[in-house]
Amino acid sequence: MTRGVSMVKAMIIVLLCVSFLWVVPEECAGKADFSRNSSSSSSASHPLLKRPSSVNVGALFTYDSFIGRAAKPAFKAAMDDVNADQTVLKGTKLNIVFQDSNCSGFIGTMGALQLMETQVVAAIGPQSSTIAHMISYVANELHVPLLSFAATDPTLSSLQYPYFLRTTQNDHFQMQAVADFVSYSGWRQVIAIFVDDECGRNGVLVLGDALAKKRARISHKAAITPGADATSIKDLLVSVNLMASRVYVVHVNPDSGLNVFSVAKSLGMMGSGYVWIATDWLPTVLDSMGAVDAETMDVLQGVVAFRHYTAESDAKRRFMERWRNLRPKEGLNSYALYAYDSVWLIARALDVFFGDNNRVTFSNDPNLHKMKSSSLRLSELSVFNEGERFLEIILGMNHIGLTGPIRFDSERNRVNPAYEVLNIEGTGPRRVGYWSNHSGLSVVPPETLYSKPPNTSTANQRLYGIIWPGEVTKPPRGWVFPNNGKPLKIAVPNRVSYKDYVSKDKNPPGVRGYCIDVFEAAIELLPYPVPRNYILYGDGKKNPSYDNLINEVVADNFDVAVGDITIVTNRTRFVDFTQPFIESGLVVVAPVKEAKSSPWSFLKPFTIEMWAVTGAFFLFVGAIVWILEHRFNHEFRGPPRRQLITIFWFSFSTMFFSHRENTVSSLGRLVLIIWLFVVLIINSSYTASLTSILTVQQLTSRIEGIDSLITSNEPIGVQDGTFARNYLVNELNISPHRIVPLRDEEHYLSALQLGPKAGGVAAIVDELPYIEVLLTNSNCKYRTVGQEFTRTGWGFAFQRDSPLAVDMSTAILQLSEEGELEKIHRKWLNYKHECSMQIQNSETSQLSLKSFWGLFLICGITCFIALTVFFWRVFWQYQRLLPDTGDEERASEVTEASRSGRGLRAPSFKELVKIVDKREAEIKEILKQKSSSKLKSSQSGAGSSHSQHSEIP
């Protein structure tokens, strides 16, 4: 210790001397091939301080371990490479002070203190997350950056350890990769086997959170004591083998992890149906062993493992060739690469640190100075004064190492975390894909996807085929029925009504009914036996509360509830339901009576809108026909009063096809043919609807549906124990005082018969399957009114995340596709209703405009086309008649208009009306005379011209 104090004093004297020496600034001879986020260079106005001759960097790890045996030669190789490269530290020698933590938290902490006495500017390590938690406090106090190449505990990235920085990957990402793989394979439950230390516990905690996001969970956490022997591991594996899940995630230490698989092999747990997923510790072991013996590989067949992914590069290949010369009998694991890169990261950061005109100084910690009286002599530990600045430089570094880009995000994690997915088969591991937080599971190397947008969707996940334990290529189901001698505890409601659905039975299995038969048929389709016991729930005096029954399943008093259990939202939050095996929904049942005949029944076939549009079209078509026939047909001419009567008479007489006026124009006949076709369809529809209204028995009820029931203040009956009461109160805001619980069908019928004034109910709200039974026995006195106002179904309720629920849903779908559900339904619920369940609302049977708008559209388009042709013809005739008002005057106007560029005088509306009102025969006669007069004038003009030419000599 005295020697250490002397060295400290000597170093302080040297630093004081150096601080007064200034040298002329020089331009660097060469620049390294790396960059920082913000490059720093010495200012021309400030001379550079002389760099120290050497700097110390600590290295703390366990020598005798898979990681340590690979890390130590990697550290030495990196130190030699840094000191041999004069472009990095430029004359400053990098010294690595090694310290063995001996895989002990106490010894590791003491070793860290001894390192700090050597005034290191940074410490690399430790490899143990447990030791990292302890010595991070030392690093915080002394401001020495602590770079771990192997501690993967996610909690080490917290703000509690500002001077801790890992150069390897955070287990937070590895557990996300495991969760993605579990979700990709379709499993819902896993068992975590882990070493009970900080790394194991915290890693499994993160795994549970990652699985929860994938709707999966850790069903059991099996903790192994650090350094546990084979007997302890065997006892643990025997206990987990009795559980349902067959998916095991093994997160242990590399030095003792193989014992887990050896014991599992001896217990027969490495065969078909089992799934073993190992974290990066297993590839570390296999890579470190170099040539793996056949016995070890036989134990690991079918295991899936995750290994740190480092992209291939020339530098990595050269280092691997070099490694074969350094360690010919040992393999190279990923932690050796991270150790090598950690040394280079510190070296490059020191180069930037010195280039920014910083110097290395230490001072006494006042907190430790007060402890001089202690025999530990902690006061000799020094604080790195520039440690905070040096840490900022390290965090800002950005260069390429053997493990890929070395850059840190805002949470001080390495960017672009990625893993290889390995499948142990044959003589070694086989890569079946990759995982990265950029693209999830993929068969493409991650670096090729970084240029594309992130895509971790389920559809984008892909891996190559995996050989599972037992040489199985199909992914295992991942669970079996628990082999612990406990049969499935099935709760069955002990109903007192509607016993065809489910009820108590004297014969085994003690229950019977439609729901029981469906459940038993589904169980028979499962590829594995399911021992089960049916337990009645309820006192048998009234129907039990189904919400309480669900709560019993949630409380683990029952494994599953089987019966007429409705799938509603608040229940799905706590249990998992199977696929519905019968449709259901709430309906309203009320007393009905025969509707009295009305003297206005003839108006019921059409809605008001239909009557209005039909009447309007009768008048419209009559007017169109009058316009088209007025010039041709003398029956559509005469005084205005007579013509108006003709329009009305012709319009409505077409309803009965009794119009006496004949149509003579082509356009009029076209319109009339289309209109008579429309009238034929309207008459036929009206006749059919009116016949149905007058001949079919019409029933009516005071209650029209759930809306009218809500607005009234009358009592409402519900079945005791069902969710109907809560739905009416909580969702529809009906007062609880209006709700009357009813015990069975007899109470239903008597309450409806009494009515609200005599102590009964105005209506009953219940599920459709029950109402079908009720109405069968009601002699058609009661019917459902309104529409079904909820859409639900019945299912079997399992405990949350039970894998049996998924298999049962598949079995129920198979029963439905094969028609077995329908057979079971006919066996128990084959009711023949002699009367319709629901009364028909007269308004719903009325014919509306939407059923006929296509006909009216065709008729309207025909009328429009006919009018367009008619008026075009009239305008053409008018243009031909214009010169009749005076040829010379009209000719002069035409000549003058042509010379000035003006158009002809616009036609007079009064003249146009006169043309329209004239008979077609008169118009044709005028045009004929006009044509003959033009012909005579042209002939006379030609004769006079000929005589003039003949007189010329």
Side-chain angles (χ1 to χ4, degrees):
M1 186 65 70
T2 304
R3 182 182 177 184
V5 175
S6 301
M7 292 179 63
V8 172
K9 291 181 179 178
M11 182 62 74
I12 293 174
I13 294 173
V14 172
L15 292 176
L16 289 175
C17 295
V18 172
S19 63
F20 292 100
L21 298 177
W22 299 89
V23 295
V24 180
E26 298 178 356
E27 188 69 26
C28 296
K31 296 183 179 179
D33 58 345
F34 68 96
S35 63
R36 293 175 57 222
N37 291 340
S38 58
S39 300
S40 299
S41 61
S42 60
S43 174
S45 61
H46 294 83
L48 291 174
L49 291 175
K50 183 178 180 180
R51 298 192 179 201
S53 59
S54 65
V55 290
N56 292 335
V57 175
L60 180 66
F61 56 94
T62 301
Y63 292 173
D64 189 17
S65 64
F66 280 110
I67 295 177
R69 286 191 292 269
K72 192 169 185 177
F75 281 138
K76 292 182 178 180
M79 181 178 63
D80 294 340
D81 292 345
V82 169
N83 291 329
D85 190 347
Q86 296 300 319
T87 64
V88 183
L89 291 180
K90 301 177 180 65
T92 300
K93 183 179 180 181
L94 181 69
N95 296 325
I96 298 181
V97 182
F98 294 94
Q99 189 69 41
D100 187 5
S101 62
N102 201 21
C103 200
S104 169
F106 176 75
I107 295 177
T109 304
M110 293 300 100
L113 295 176
Q114 292 179 10
L115 280 178
M116 299 306 175
E117 289 181 354
T118 62
Q119 294 187 341
V120 295
V121 296
I124 304 176
Q127 70 186 59
S128 169
S129 297
T130 301
I131 301 176
H133 278 277
M134 301 174 67
I135 68 174
S136 290
Y137 294 104
V138 179
N140 293 348
E141 184 68 24
L142 301 181
H143 296 181
V144 176
L146 182 62
L147 282 67
S148 178
F149 67 99
T152 57
D153 179 6
T155 60
L156 286 170
S157 297
S158 64
L159 299 176
Q160 186 179 7
Y161 309 114
Y163 280 85
F164 177 85
L165 180 66
R166 79 179 93 237
T167 56
T168 185
Q169 298 294 353
N170 191 336
D171 267 348
H172 171 80
F173 301 108
Q174 181 172 209
M175 295 309 169
Q176 285 186 357
V178 173
D180 284 350
F181 179 75
V182 171
S183 176
Y184 171 81
S185 302
W187 301 314
R188 300 285 298 276
Q189 294 184 5
V190 303
I191 293 178
I193 301 174
F194 62 98
V195 173
D196 195 11
D197 59 10
E198 280 80 359
C199 182
R201 287 192 300 270
N202 295 328
V204 170
L205 182 64
V206 174
L207 175 62
D209 295 339
L211 288 172
K213 296 178 180 179
K214 303 293 183 180
R215 292 188 59 83
R217 67 185 181 96
I218 299 176
S219 60
H220 180 70
K221 297 179 181 179
I224 300 176
T225 304
D229 55 12
T231 303
S232 300
I233 296 175
K234 181 178 180 180
D235 294 340
L236 182 139
L237 293 182
V238 168
S239 63
V240 301
N241 196 35
L242 296 176
M243 300 177 183
S245 179
R246 284 292 183 266
V247 181
Y248 305 110
V249 178
V250 185
H251 186 53
V252 295
N253 297 326
D255 299 280
S256 59
L258 289 179
N259 295 335
V260 175
F261 290 105
S262 298
V263 175
K265 180 73 172 180
S266 65
L267 295 175
M269 298 176 63
M270 298 298 296
S272 177
Y274 290 87
V275 177
W276 291 90
I277 303 172
T279 53
D280 65 281
W281 68 267
L282 181 57
T284 299
V285 173
L286 298 180
D287 294 340
S288 301
M289 295 173 67
V292 185
D293 59 280
E295 183 179 354
T296 301
M297 292 306 305
D298 182 61
V299 171
L300 298 175
Q301 291 298 303
V303 176
V304 175
F306 288 81
R307 179 170 62 190
H308 296 122
Y309 173 71
T310 56
E312 296 297 327
S313 63
D314 293 337
K316 179 181 175 181
R317 283 188 286 269
R318 288 195 299 267
F319 184 79
M320 294 179 68
E321 291 292 335
R322 181 181 176 187
W323 183 267
R324 295 187 183 97
N325 297 326
L326 292 174
R327 299 285 177 176
K329 295 182 180 180
E330 297 181 5
L332 175 66
N333 61 48
S334 60
Y335 289 104
L337 302 177
Y338 288 119
Y340 184 89
D341 281 349
S342 299
V343 177
W344 271 97
L345 174 63
I346 293 177
R348 295 182 187 279
L350 281 172
D351 185 47
V352 177
F353 177 79
F354 293 134
D356 286 348
N357 223 14
N358 294 303
R359 57 183 178 177
V360 177
T361 61
F362 294 88
S363 61
N364 293 328
D365 189 344
N367 295 325
L368 298 177
H369 187 70
K370 299 176 182 178
M371 302 179 66
K372 281 186 176 181
S373 59
S374 173
S375 59
L376 296 177
R377 305 184 68 175
L378 297 176
S379 59
E380 297 185 7
L381 298 175
S382 301
V383 177
F384 181 22
N385 296 327
E386 291 78 15
E388 184 176 358
R389 172 57 184 158
F390 187 45
L391 177 64
E392 292 177 357
I393 293 175
I394 294 175
L395 291 173
M397 297 302 294
N398 180 10
H399 70 279
I400 304 298
L402 299 182
T403 57
I406 301 178
R407 192 170 70 252
F408 300 95
D409 59 18
S410 59
E411 297 181 357
R412 294 179 295 159
N413 292 317
R414 287 279 298 267
V415 298
N416 299 332
Y419 292 86
E420 292 178 274
V421 185
L422 306 178
N423 181 209
I424 313 300
E425 61 163 320
T427 59
R430 176 178 62 92
R431 184 169 58 204
V432 296
Y434 306 87
W435 179 92
S436 70
N437 64 340
H438 184 84
S439 58
L441 298 172
S442 173
V443 295
V444 181
E447 63 270 15
T448 63
L449 300 175
Y450 290 142
S451 60
K452 301 178 182 180
N455 186 0
T456 58
S457 62
T458 304
N460 194 52
Q461 307 301 289
R462 187 188 170 195
L463 292 174
Y464 290 120
I466 296 176
I467 306 298
W468 304 97
E471 298 184 356
V472 178
T473 57
K474 181 180 180 181
R477 187 172 63 248
W479 77 281
V480 295
F481 195 80
N483 189 23
N484 53 11
K486 295 181 180 179
L488 203 67
K489 294 182 295 183
I490 304 175
V492 178
N494 190 9
R495 295 192 58 87
V496 297
S497 62
Y498 303 110
K499 293 186 177 182
D500 285 341
Y501 291 108
V502 61
S503 63
K504 180 180 179 181
D505 191 20
K506 297 180 180 180
N507 301 319
V511 289
R512 63 191 293 272
Y514 167 75
C515 300
I516 302 300
D517 281 7
V518 173
F519 185 79
E520 286 290 329
I523 286 289
E524 293 299 325
L525 293 178
L526 299 181
Y528 47 86
V530 180
R532 53 199 178 275
N533 286 336
Y534 290 98
I535 303 172
L536 290 170
Y537 180 80
D539 56 9
K541 298 179 181 179
K542 65 176 183 179
N543 294 330
S545 171
Y546 281 45
D547 288 336
N548 293 339
L549 176 59
I550 295 298
N551 293 334
E552 292 292 328
V553 176
V554 176
D556 201 20
N557 295 326
F558 298 104
D559 298 311
V560 58
V562 173
D564 48 339
I565 304 172
T566 306
I567 304 173
V568 292
T569 304
N570 62 335
R571 294 174 182 173
T572 58
R573 297 190 181 101
F574 309 106
V575 296
D576 283 348
F577 281 95
T578 61
Q579 176 79 16
F581 57 88
I582 189 174
E583 293 184 357
S584 180
L586 291 178
V587 293
V588 179
V589 178
V592 295
K593 58 182 180 179
E594 187 175 353
K596 296 181 180 180
S597 180
S598 171
W600 304 101
S601 298
F602 66 91
L603 295 177
K604 291 182 179 180
F606 289 163
T607 61
I608 297 177
E609 294 80 5
M610 182 62 183
W611 280 117
V613 173
T614 303
F617 256 84
F618 271 108
L619 295 176
F620 174 72
V621 172
I624 295 299
V625 173
W626 178 85
I627 293 174
L628 299 176
E629 292 290 322
H630 181 69
R631 302 180 68 195
F632 299 90
N633 196 336
H634 69 278
E635 294 181 352
F636 288 88
R637 301 185 65 85
R641 181 171 176 272
R642 178 184 173 186
Q643 295 183 45
L644 186 62
I645 294 174
T646 300
I647 292 175
F648 277 93
W649 167 255
F650 180 83
S651 299
F652 292 100
S653 61
T654 56
M655 181 185 302
F656 310 103
F657 305 98
S658 59
H659 50 284
R660 63 186 181 183
E661 293 82 6
N662 295 320
T663 53
V664 296
S665 68
S666 300
L667 294 176
R669 290 175 177 176
L670 174 64
V671 171
L672 185 60
I673 289 174
I674 299 298
W675 174 241
L676 291 179
F677 175 73
V678 173
V679 170
L680 175 64
I681 295 178
I682 292 177
N683 282 342
S684 302
S685 302
Y686 174 84
T687 303
S689 179
L690 182 62
T691 302
S692 175
I693 292 174
L694 297 179
T695 57
V696 177
Q697 182 184 17
Q698 299 295 312
L699 302 177
T700 184
S701 173
R702 293 188 307 106
I703 306 299
E704 298 179 355
I706 188 62
D707 294 332
S708 62
L709 198 60
I710 293 174
T711 56
S712 68
N713 293 319
E714 296 178 327
I716 304 171
V718 297
Q719 184 182 170
D720 194 13
T722 62
F723 82 103
R725 182 185 185 280
N726 292 336
Y727 184 86
L728 295 178
V729 173
N730 299 330
E731 302 295 334
L732 302 182
N733 297 321
I734 295 177
S735 173
H737 301 290
R738 296 177 55 192
I739 309 301
V740 179
L742 302 174
R743 181 174 180 270
D744 53 24
E745 299 98 318
E746 294 181 1
H747 288 172
Y748 272 44
L749 297 176
S750 62
L752 287 172
Q753 186 174 3
L754 290 174
K757 296 181 179 179
V761 296
I764 288 176
V765 175
D766 206 349
E767 296 182 72
L768 186 59
Y770 302 127
I771 297 305
E772 291 178 349
V773 180
L774 177 69
L775 296 184
T776 302
N777 303 322
S778 67
N779 296 324
C780 299
K781 293 181 180 179
Y782 314 103
R783 304 287 179 89
T784 59
V785 294
Q787 299 296 323
E788 187 177 352
F789 57 94
T790 63
R791 291 285 183 178
T792 56
W794 291 354
F796 306 128
F798 287 82
Q799 290 184 1
R800 195 69 172 171
D801 297 325
S802 171
L804 186 59
V806 179
D807 289 353
M808 287 293 289
S809 294
T810 304
I812 291 173
L813 288 175
Q814 185 176 348
L815 289 175
S816 177
E817 293 172 357
E818 295 176 354
E820 293 299 324
L821 277 183
E822 182 62 26
K823 293 180 181 178
I824 299 174
H825 189 278
R826 288 198 300 267
K827 173 184 174 182
W828 290 97
L829 310 173
N830 191 20
Y831 303 119
K832 295 181 179 179
H833 302 286
E834 297 179 356
C835 50
S836 175
M837 283 185 57
Q838 183 177 11
I839 64 173
Q840 290 187 353
N841 190 343
S842 59
E843 294 182 358
T844 60
S845 61
Q846 288 181 320
L847 299 175
S848 62
L849 181 62
K850 66 181 180 179
S851 301
F852 300 94
W853 70 269
L855 289 173
F856 290 124
L857 178 64
I858 294 173
C859 183
I861 292 175
T862 305
C863 293
F864 175 78
I865 294 174
L867 282 178
T868 302
V869 174
F870 173 78
F871 281 110
W872 177 84
R873 189 168 183 274
V874 169
F875 188 77
W876 174 77
Q877 292 177 345
Y878 176 72
Q879 290 292 334
R880 293 187 61 188
L881 293 174
L882 282 178
D884 293 341
T885 57
D887 294 341
E888 295 180 357
E889 181 181 354
R890 180 67 60 184
S892 63
E893 288 181 359
V894 170
T895 303
E896 183 179 356
S898 62
R899 291 176 180 177
S900 63
R902 294 183 291 107
L904 294 174
R905 178 171 59 90
S908 170
F909 179 74
K910 185 180 294 185
E911 295 175 353
L912 186 61
V913 171
K914 289 181 179 180
I915 296 298
V916 173
D917 190 56
K918 287 184 178 181
R919 292 177 178 273
E920 182 70 15
E922 296 178 2
I923 296 298
K924 290 182 178 179
E925 184 64 26
I926 294 174
L927 291 175
K928 185 177 180 181
Q929 293 178 0
K930 180 63 179 175
S931 298
S932 60
S933 61
K934 284 184 177 181
L935 180 60
K936 292 180 180 180
S937 61
S938 60
Q939 290 177 353
S940 61
S944 60
S945 176
H946 177 71
S947 60
Q948 291 177 359
H949 283 289
S950 61
E951 291 177 357
I952 296 175

